[in-house]
């Protein structure tokens, strides 16, 4: 199955470079391109796209607002934000807007391709170390209210699911969570899936944001 990718970036040279990398892959095809957010939204109306590679700083409509509008549609493509800076308020805003992850623009081609495949399969792409740094920096800006989680749906979680959610929010991978809780990785994956379903969340990124917004996890990473 071919992953249909759209490139959204105001730098033609960058789009050309990405297109060459993707064109060499048997399972990927660049089906659309746009130079700004307004054009991207227009093109998407008539193009079937699975994954959008989205620049954040663009004229007319930036990548964050474009991502928000794309993700508000029914059955939208997955969005992978491309940013120049590792710790970038645009990247965090993009995740809150519905992106499935973000990558640095100068990421090695192999990592970019792996990220596109991961996002397409439903995984979120934010490296655990980056998640920790990102949240330590931006968690104070989140509207966290009190020590008790305020999100009613959190009450649907079992004690074990809540434990897993806290560790996901701290940026741990399934393997690390399995080691910490002495569970199999498959069991952790099942718990994460149940958390997503019960809370109506799309991926791990949304779990992380919700855990901080509700106060389940505090800045600094402690539940």
């Amino acid at each position: 199955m071919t992953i249909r990718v759209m490139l959204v970036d105001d730098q033609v040279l960058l789009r050309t470079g990405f297109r060459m990398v993707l064109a060499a892959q048997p399972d990927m095809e660049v089906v659309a391109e746009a130079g700004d957010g307004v054009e991207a939204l227009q093109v998407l109306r008539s193009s079937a796209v699975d994954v959008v590679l989205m620049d954040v700083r663009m004229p007319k409509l930036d990548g964050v607002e474009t991502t928000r509008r794309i993700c508000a549609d029914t059955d939208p493509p997955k969005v992978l934000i491309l940013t120049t800076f590792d710790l970038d308020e645009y990247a965090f805003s993009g995740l809150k807007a519905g992106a499935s992850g973000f990558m640095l623009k100068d990421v090695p081609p192999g990592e970019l391709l792996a990220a596109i495949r991961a996002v397409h399969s439903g995984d979120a792409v934010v490296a655990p170390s980056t998640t920790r740094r990102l949240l330590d920096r931006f968690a104070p800006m989140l509207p966290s209210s009190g020590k008790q989680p305020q999100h009613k749906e959190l009450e649907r979680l079992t004690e074990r699911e809540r434990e897993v959610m806290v560790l996901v929010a701290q940026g741990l991978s399934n393997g690390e969570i399995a080691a910490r809780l002495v569970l199999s990785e498959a069991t952790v994956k099942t718990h994460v899936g149940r958390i997503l379903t019960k809370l109506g969340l799309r991926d791990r990124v949304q779990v992380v944001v919700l855990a901080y917004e509700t106060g389940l996890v505090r800045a600094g990473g402690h539940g």
Side-chain angles (χ1 to χ4, degrees), residues 159-170:
E159 194 57 42
R160 176 62 90 191
E161 286 163 358
R162 194 177 280 233
E163 269 183 287
V164 170
M165 182 171 177
V166 167
L167 295 175
V168 167
Q170 290 172 6

Side-chain angles (χ1 to χ4, degrees), residues 144-150 154 162 211-212 214-218 222-223:
S144 179
S145 44
K147 291 260 180 198
Q148 288 306 308
Q150 300 300 308
L154 290 182
R162 194 177 280 233
Y212 276 79
T214 55
L216 185 64
V217 174
R218 314 301 298 169
H222 301 291

Side-chain angles (χ1 to χ4, degrees), residues 117-197:
R117 291 184 182 108
V119 163
H120 180 248
S121 72
D123 289 333
V125 183
V126 186
S129 59
T130 306
T131 304
R132 292 184 192 115
R133 294 203 307 278
L134 191 75
L135 288 162
D136 284 347
R137 175 165 166 187
F138 293 113
M141 295 158 48
L142 291 171
S144 179
S145 44
K147 291 260 180 198
Q148 288 306 308
Q150 300 300 308
H151 199 264
K152 269 217 158 102
E153 277 76 4
L154 290 182
E155 294 167 11
R156 297 179 188 165
L157 301 182
T158 64
E159 194 57 42
R160 176 62 90 191
E161 286 163 358
R162 194 177 280 233
E163 269 183 287
V164 170
M165 182 171 177
V166 167
L167 295 175
V168 167
Q170 290 172 6
L172 273 66
S173 67
N174 284 357
E176 290 169 330
I177 294 171
R180 180 81 62 91
L181 299 179
V182 198
L183 298 169
S184 73
E185 209 164 322
T187 302
V188 172
K189 198 167 183 182
T190 302
H191 283 313
V192 172
R194 285 186 186 143
I195 291 165
L196 296 178
T197 303

Side-chain angles (χ1 to χ4, degrees), residues 3-20:
I3 303 172
R4 298 163 299 186
V5 180
M6 179 179 188
L7 305 175
V8 184
D9 197 303
D10 59 338
Q11 297 179 53
V12 179
L13 203 59
L14 256 169
R15 294 207 309 268
T16 303
F18 283 137
R19 195 188 320 118
M20 286 170 67

